[in-house]
Amino acid sequence: MNQRPPSRMNQRPLVVKDHSLPRLREAFARRELAPFRADQLAGWIYGQGVEDPGRMTNLPAELRERLGRDLLLHALELESLERSEDGTRKGVLRARDGARVEAVLIPEEGRTTLCVSTQVGCPLACSFCATGALGFTRNLTVAEIVDQVCRMRAELEPGRTLSNVVFMGMGEPLLNLPAVLEAIRILVDPKGLGLAPRRVTVSTAGVVPKIAELLRAAPVNLAVSLHATTDAVRDVLVPLNRRFPLRALLGTLAALPELSRRRPVFFEYTLMAGVNDAEEDAERLVTLLAGIPSKVNLIPMNPHPDAPYLPPAPEVADRFLGVLARARLTATLRRPRGSDIAAACGQLALRDARASARALRDR
Ligand code: SAH
């Protein structure tokens, strides 16, 4: 019998979903597995959604036997799945260390969007966001980001396919950029999850020095959480604004060569009664965004017990939208989805995840 060199015997298990295909092929080669086996395995887990080694009929028995032992397929378990009245479904997913994150499936006419998390908790502490109130535990790994897609995709109703992924769950994607980029490579690889890059959107609270790096690395959509038109208000809502104020953020966006009318910035603006919903705010917003290819998504505040803010009356929101529309700014007023199961924007982490973050910290 061939004896394996000790270095190989001590090798740590390979977490398959941590690696984009080119790197997975290399990792296979290092384990004396033929690189094309990596493509075959990707075909099962990403192409077919099959994770049971017993069904991977074109793989040799020896490789199938190693799956689950020194090649790990699962980074997350689906712990619970809640269904909202409007069809939105929130999954609570548990990592190997017990950390929990949430992912939200949003079925719509003509498309199905999955909202994924990038961190356990979030360090940015935006004053209106439930995840912010949770504090920060750790970054998610590549495999934990990718597995949110694999696990939740398996819960789709027959006939539905996943069309869009938005990095708008728990956490700040640009503070976990290397993992987010590697996950995106798997998402958009035709031999991976096969999504069109323009159906992937990364949302940031405004980590200015990382924005250009994201757009240079991946042709995805950029969303920016703006929420205010003065530094005085934005400093309170998004404390990161004290490091990267509006002028720095908007100046950087205006100078990005990747952006165009066909590829605008999607600005998220959460409307909070009496805080940022005045007509003057709308007018300032128009002025601030002049010169940046923009689409504005107005999101009425989803109230929760950790924040003192409330959504404006519908006519106030309509008036705000009207000011933007008259200035020919493309804007939509988003209706909240999944709020009855705390799956709407900024409500993630309201229940189980909070307990689990505390448990992890206290360990
Ligand atoms: N950290 C990233 C990703 C989170 S995206 C970012 O800030 O962009 C989630 C979006 O929902 C952000 O625009 C966030 O500001 C917004 N949001 C957070 N709490 C909210 C709430 N309670 N109601 C409405 N929108 C909220």
Side-chain angles (χ1 to χ4, degrees):
M1 278 287 288
N2 255 346
Q3 279 243 305
R4 289 199 182 158
S7 66
R8 280 196 205 294
M9 289 174 63
N10 295 335
Q11 237 167 14
R12 284 207 281 158
L14 174 70
V15 180
V16 172
K17 289 171 186 158
D18 265 340
H19 308 280
S20 57
L21 259 152
R23 288 188 44 216
L24 191 62
R25 288 183 200 115
E26 289 167 19
F28 267 46
R30 281 196 298 276
R31 284 175 161 70
E32 286 153 7
L33 291 164
F36 80 95
R37 298 292 183 199
D39 295 68
Q40 289 181 315
L41 180 59
W44 287 113
I45 60 179
Y46 301 130
Q48 308 287 321
V50 168
E51 303 212 344
D52 170 8
R55 290 178 59 195
M56 301 181 182
T57 46
N58 60 354
L59 298 186
E62 191 251 341
L63 174 53
R64 277 189 277 172
E65 190 266 323
R66 285 171 70 177
L67 292 172
R69 189 163 50 77
D70 70 345
L71 299 160
L72 302 183
L73 291 184
H74 294 89
L76 297 175
E77 300 295 337
L78 183 60
E79 187 174 86
S80 68
L81 190 64
E82 281 182 87
R83 192 197 187 87
S84 159
E85 281 160 17
D86 62 20
T88 301
R89 301 165 94 191
K90 178 173 82 170
V92 176
L93 301 131
R94 197 182 57 247
R96 289 173 162 260
D97 68 352
R100 289 182 175 85
V101 291
E102 299 177 0
V104 182
L105 263 180
I106 308 155
E108 288 175 291
E109 184 97 351
R111 70 169 167 195
T112 303
T113 303
L114 179 68
C115 175
V116 297
S117 297
T118 55
Q119 299 182 314
V120 185
C122 182
L124 293 184
C126 297
S127 60
F128 57 99
C129 178
T131 306
L134 196 68
F136 176 66
T137 303
R138 66 169 173 86
N139 278 332
L140 292 183
T141 64
V142 178
E144 288 165 344
I145 297 172
V146 170
D147 229 7
Q148 293 174 60
V149 183
C150 296
R151 296 273 86 77
M152 294 299 285
R153 190 179 62 162
E155 305 300 326
L156 285 172
E157 265 137 38
R160 272 210 182 253
T161 51
L162 187 66
S163 59
N164 296 62
V165 169
V166 296
F167 288 78
M168 296 187 183
M170 301 163 69
E172 168 51 49
L174 297 196
L175 294 181
N176 188 13
L177 188 54
V180 166
L181 287 178
E182 186 73 348
I184 289 173
R185 286 182 201 110
I186 298 170
L187 289 182
V188 305
D189 190 333
K191 290 188 162 185
L193 286 156
L195 286 167
R198 298 298 301 283
R199 290 175 173 266
V200 174
T201 301
V202 176
S203 180
T204 179
V207 185
V208 167
K210 301 282 181 188
I211 292 176
E213 192 182 333
L214 167 75
L215 292 190
R216 246 181 268 129
V220 294
N221 294 314
L222 174 69
V224 172
S225 297
L226 197 63
H227 307 317
T229 58
T230 65
D231 282 322
V233 175
R234 197 162 190 272
D235 280 352
V236 174
L237 298 180
V238 184
L240 183 69
N241 194 69
R242 295 176 206 152
R243 268 174 70 200
F244 307 115
L246 283 170
R247 220 149 71 93
L249 174 61
L250 298 172
T252 296
L253 296 175
L256 288 171
E258 288 86 358
L259 299 175
S260 67
R261 286 177 62 120
R262 288 195 48 231
R263 193 185 173 195
V265 184
F266 295 84
F267 286 101
E268 293 145 295
Y269 193 101
T270 297
L271 289 167
M272 300 170 220
V275 175
N276 63 359
D277 62 345
E279 277 192 72
E280 299 85 81
D281 287 299
E283 281 153 14
R284 265 196 302 270
L285 189 56
V286 170
T287 312
L288 285 177
L289 299 190
I292 303 173
S294 310
K295 283 193 178 172
V296 177
N297 280 328
L298 301 174
I299 314 164
M301 171 73 192
N302 294 309
H304 58 85
D306 282 330
Y309 308 110
L310 293 171
E315 56 279 14
V316 174
D318 285 338
R319 205 189 316 129
F320 198 102
L321 183 65
V323 173
L324 304 187
R326 275 195 297 283
R328 307 210 165 272
L329 201 57
T330 312
T332 54
L333 185 58
R334 203 191 282 175
R335 74 203 148 89
R337 305 264 322 208
S339 45
D340 54 325
I341 55 168
C345 296
Q347 291 186 316
L348 295 185
L350 269 184
R351 298 176 198 158
D352 319 351
R354 174 176 305 162
S356 93
R358 231 184 270 124
L360 275 174
R361 259 199 306 273
D362 297 347
R363 237 181 7 190

